[in-house]
Amino acid sequence: MCGLAGWIDFERDLTEHGSTVRTMVAAMANRGPDAEAVWADRRVALGFRRLAVIDPPGGRQPMTAERDGTVRAVLAYNGEIYNFRALRGQLAARGHTFRTSSDTEVVLAAYLEWGEHCVDRFDGMFAFAVWDTGRQELLLARDRLGVKPLYYASTRRGLLFGSEVKALLAHPLVDSAVDSEGLAELLSYIATPGHAIYSGIRQVPAGHVLTVRDGGFRECAYWSLPGRAHTDDWPTTVDTVRGLLTDSVASHLVADVPLCTLLSGGLDSSAIVALAARHGQRPRTFAVDFEGHAERFRQDFWHHSPDAPHAADVAAFVGTDHEPVVLRTEDLADPVVGHAAMTAQDLPRPTPDMDRSLYLLLRAVRQHSTVALMGEVADELFGGYRSFSDENLVDSGNFPWVTMGFGVAPHGMSTGLLDRSLLEKVDVPGYSADRYAEAVREVPEVPGEDAREALLRRVGYLHMTRWLPLLLTRNDHLSMSVGLEVRVPYCDHRLVEYAFNIPWRLKRYGGEEKSPLRAALAGLLPERVLRRPKSPFPITQDPGYGQVLRDRLAELVADPHSPVRPLLDVPAARRLLAEGRPVRTTGWGERRDVEMVLQLDAWLRHYHVRLAL
């Protein structure tokens, strides 16, 4: 797993600008602690930071393909192609020769053989840039689900691109400006395909390729969620889910470096651990916990039980080498940790305490492993969220997570302490309504599907295309900030295509959420884990953390030079402080409102953001 950055320009000679691309790459140094390189020619400069996972000696990048001493193509590639060995055999049969054992060389050969259609043959997570010297053309490509990120910004006669926004912001042609649409996207907590919050910066959408040549560029989709009639009965559905997930986990275990699994004690991550163990590996597992959490735990709307006992049950049942990562309130409140989690994502996020917990977990894991498997995406695929079953959310006319009680006000996520006039100007409700209408128009239709099933297909589509990308981007940026590769077996596109089309009557077979997945894992997990309801990533309930938030809010309100002050509802903040108590750490609303203000302040300071509202 790595970080790439580059610059294509049809006007200037980039052989003189290799240092600029090196600066872009240096901004993402944590993504690739093992090597750094830049390749430059007249029209293009490609930079790379490498985290060696497959063929450490041979997979160096940027990688060139040559014929008769002439460079035909140059590749900078971030990701893992899990079927690269099979593709290598096909390409060898077509006359290609290989000098390494890396999947990087297979990607490059596949491009030479099939052009941009090579992406149709890749099973995995990837984002890459390949410069074709003969065609004088750049191809940018991103995997089907968007596990690996890829951002770009247009210039007068070219393009800048990189694995993270910070790589683009390191270039002198890119301004860290955010307009009202970008702020609305940020506060609504919607992942509009292609949107990247910053003005002038976009993402290559998941399942797309972008072709750049002199005169412009063309963006083209090569994959999207398909709508298909599901004709399998219940036993066949369960068997198919089990088989697809088993195959995916097996393919994700290939690595030439230490590998582990993140284990929360929920159904999704426990499934990955159990199936990994069936492939002959004694998995090493890690779980996050908080000091004193079991003693002070209180059930809330989201969390029914603490994770740690369930994770321990799975570890004992499966037989893993298990290590809880116990976090203290001082760890979560450490400003260095907060800065690292925010700058990893280049944005303020409405769940920063969760981000910091995940960052600290991943940092601890990196001391032992280079690759970690995680259980993300199962809830989106199999309908694990309440937003699939709560009638007030299923057909609310908006994105379910925007409607639900997740610290969301009418004006967006965690905005309770922001100035009302600002929020009216940004108009999150109007922006969200427009994006919702766009998303609904995309939902694939299945002939013969009744109205209820069609409605729940819509809910699933919204989660897969506008919610899941938020999680995948967070996981990528936080993990890569500590030099750890995170793999997501549930993102196997065959499993995704199958599970997305399982009708709701089977996803709730027997009245239980995620029924096909639970049935597929029968006998592989402890019964109380197999039956455990959905529980999100844990949060600390320590009042001491609430006191830290209160103290920092008080400092901010007292600072007339705070950059977030023009955005702050100062009277509302003062009323909260006047209550003389810690910020509430149970529930979501109050702590999220305070966290968002603190995050916005840190973001505006660090990135010198220019709000063009």
Side-chain angles (χ1 to χ4, degrees):
M1 202 55 55
C2 312
L4 63 93
W7 183 8
I8 179 172
D9 198 299
F10 294 99
E11 190 171 58
R12 70 188 83 196
D13 187 346
L14 294 185
T15 57
E16 305 297 323
H17 294 274
S19 61
T20 302
V21 174
R22 195 173 296 277
T23 299
M24 295 172 68
V25 174
M28 306 180 295
N30 288 345
R31 292 188 75 93
D34 298 326
E36 175 190 0
V38 171
W39 184 95
D41 202 356
R42 287 187 65 245
R43 292 290 170 247
V44 67
L46 293 177
F48 197 73
R49 295 288 310 207
R50 187 182 184 211
L51 175 67
V53 173
I54 301 292
D55 188 13
R60 295 183 180 89
Q61 298 186 52
M63 182 177 284
T64 60
E66 300 179 12
R67 176 181 291 172
D68 301 326
T70 301
V71 174
R72 297 179 60 197
V74 187
L75 171 71
Y77 150 67
N78 169 30
E80 302 293 347
I81 303 300
Y82 302 119
N83 64 331
F84 79 95
R85 291 195 175 100
L87 288 173
R88 180 188 176 103
Q90 296 174 27
L91 291 162
R94 291 172 174 262
H96 293 266
T97 58
F98 296 89
R99 60 185 186 274
T100 76
S101 300
S102 69
D103 59 338
T104 303
E105 192 174 13
V106 172
V107 172
L108 185 53
Y111 169 77
L112 293 174
E113 182 66 32
W114 297 301
E116 68 178 61
H117 299 292
C118 64
V119 293
D120 296 320
R121 300 170 183 265
F122 295 156
D123 297 338
M125 55 181 186
F126 56 85
F128 66 81
V130 59
W131 171 249
D132 190 314
T133 58
R135 298 169 64 91
Q136 291 287 285
E137 181 177 279
L138 178 77
L139 177 70
L140 301 179
R142 195 166 175 218
D143 65 74
R144 294 171 180 84
L145 274 297
V147 180
K148 304 315 297 179
L150 188 54
Y151 301 88
Y152 69 92
S154 299
T155 62
R156 197 163 74 101
R157 283 190 63 192
L159 200 77
L160 300 164
F161 54 92
S163 295
E164 295 184 13
V165 166
K166 61 174 62 67
L168 302 183
L169 294 178
H171 195 285
L173 293 178
V174 179
D175 179 22
S176 57
V178 175
D179 59 21
S180 58
E181 182 177 284
L183 193 57
E185 176 88 3
L186 175 70
L187 296 177
S188 63
Y189 213 43
I190 299 166
T192 303
H195 209 298
I197 307 298
Y198 291 88
S199 303
I201 298 178
R202 290 184 55 80
Q203 288 196 67
V204 177
H208 280 64
V209 294
L210 184 72
T211 306
V212 186
R213 57 176 66 92
D214 195 4
F217 58 86
R218 174 180 60 89
E219 191 174 85
C220 181
Y222 69 89
W223 184 86
S224 60
L225 277 171
R228 298 170 182 163
H230 187 87
T231 58
D232 291 346
D233 59 14
W234 171 248
T236 303
T237 299
V238 172
D239 288 345
T240 303
V241 168
R242 183 189 301 114
L244 289 170
L245 184 56
T246 299
D247 289 348
S248 179
V249 170
S251 70
H252 283 67
L253 295 174
V254 176
D256 295 330
V257 291
L259 179 146
C260 71
T261 298
L262 306 182
L263 174 62
S264 70
L267 176 69
D268 310 338
S269 63
S270 300
I272 304 301
V273 172
L275 292 173
R278 286 171 65 87
H279 285 283
Q281 292 202 15
R282 176 182 170 84
R284 185 162 195 169
T285 54
F286 294 87
V288 70
D289 196 10
F290 303 103
E291 191 175 66
H293 189 58
E295 294 78 16
R296 67 171 62 96
F297 177 82
R298 295 293 182 272
Q299 188 178 46
D300 61 24
F301 179 80
W302 294 97
H303 301 91
H304 299 279
S305 58
D307 283 353
H310 294 86
D313 281 356
V314 174
F317 188 90
V318 175
T320 76
D321 180 9
H322 185 61
E323 183 173 334
V325 177
V326 181
L327 306 179
R328 303 169 302 162
T329 296
E330 305 94 273
D331 301 324
L332 294 171
D334 185 343
V336 174
V337 171
H339 179 78
M342 188 273 288
T343 56
Q345 301 181 81
D346 298 318
L347 289 170
R349 288 302 188 190
T351 57
D353 53 344
M354 295 171 68
D355 294 345
R356 287 193 287 270
S357 299
L358 181 56
Y359 170 83
L360 289 166
L361 169 64
L362 297 171
R363 190 177 71 177
V365 168
R366 184 61 179 94
Q367 304 305 309
H368 307 277
S369 300
T370 308
V371 176
L373 274 60
M374 72 184 312
E376 206 81 90
V377 191
D379 288 306
E380 289 78 9
L381 283 180
F382 294 99
Y385 296 123
R386 291 191 179 191
S387 46
F388 283 88
S389 55
D390 187 329
E391 293 302 322
N392 294 320
L393 303 174
V394 168
D395 195 16
S396 66
N398 205 333
F399 298 99
W401 59 93
V402 173
T403 306
M404 68 196 316
F406 188 59
V408 181
H411 294 288
M413 181 79 83
S414 307
T415 60
L417 292 178
L418 297 185
D419 181 72
R420 296 298 99 182
S421 61
L422 165 76
L423 295 174
E424 290 171 5
K425 183 176 183 180
V426 173
D427 188 20
V428 169
Y431 181 83
S432 177
D434 290 344
R435 302 292 81 75
Y436 176 78
E438 290 173 0
V440 167
R441 287 194 292 269
E442 298 171 5
V443 180
E445 297 181 3
V446 175
E449 193 170 56
D450 65 37
R452 180 67 178 172
E453 288 290 353
L455 176 61
L456 287 160
R457 176 183 294 277
R458 179 199 303 172
V459 176
Y461 185 88
L462 297 175
H463 279 88
M464 289 295 295
T465 62
R466 267 64 173 184
W467 169 257
L468 177 60
L470 296 168
L471 306 184
L472 294 176
T473 300
R474 177 195 67 181
N475 296 339
D476 170 86
H477 286 18
L478 290 175
S479 63
M480 292 310 302
S481 73
V482 298
L484 179 72
E485 174 179 306
V486 165
R487 298 179 179 179
V488 193
Y490 288 104
C491 276
D492 181 281
H493 71 277
R494 289 168 296 256
L495 175 62
V496 167
E497 291 174 4
Y498 187 81
F500 175 68
N501 286 291
I502 297 174
W504 187 245
R505 60 182 174 79
L506 294 183
K507 287 183 179 177
R508 296 282 296 188
Y509 192 83
E512 194 170 33
E513 70 187 25
K514 298 192 286 193
S515 294
L517 183 59
R518 296 183 192 277
L521 297 166
L524 300 181
L525 293 172
E527 189 63 21
R528 78 165 183 152
V529 172
L530 197 63
R531 304 269 80 87
R532 189 186 183 198
K534 167 68 181 174
S535 185
F537 194 84
I539 58 173
T540 182
Q541 296 181 345
D542 182 7
Y545 183 73
Q547 185 62 43
V548 171
L549 295 182
R550 184 191 185 282
D551 292 345
R552 290 182 179 169
L553 178 63
E555 292 175 6
L556 188 150
V557 170
D559 180 5
H561 304 295
S562 165
V564 81
R565 196 175 180 88
L567 311 182
L568 181 64
D569 185 341
V570 176
R574 286 177 173 157
R575 286 194 298 272
L576 175 59
L577 293 170
E579 295 183 25
R581 57 168 176 80
V583 171
R584 294 187 182 94
T585 53
T586 55
W588 298 91
E590 186 173 278
R591 71 188 287 168
R592 292 286 179 257
D593 290 341
V594 174
E595 290 268 35
M596 177 57 92
V597 169
L598 299 175
Q599 283 263 298
L600 283 168
D601 183 74
W603 174 58
L604 293 167
R605 289 177 190 269
H606 181 77
Y607 288 90
H608 306 288
V609 174
R610 180 172 59 85
L611 291 176
L613 306 180

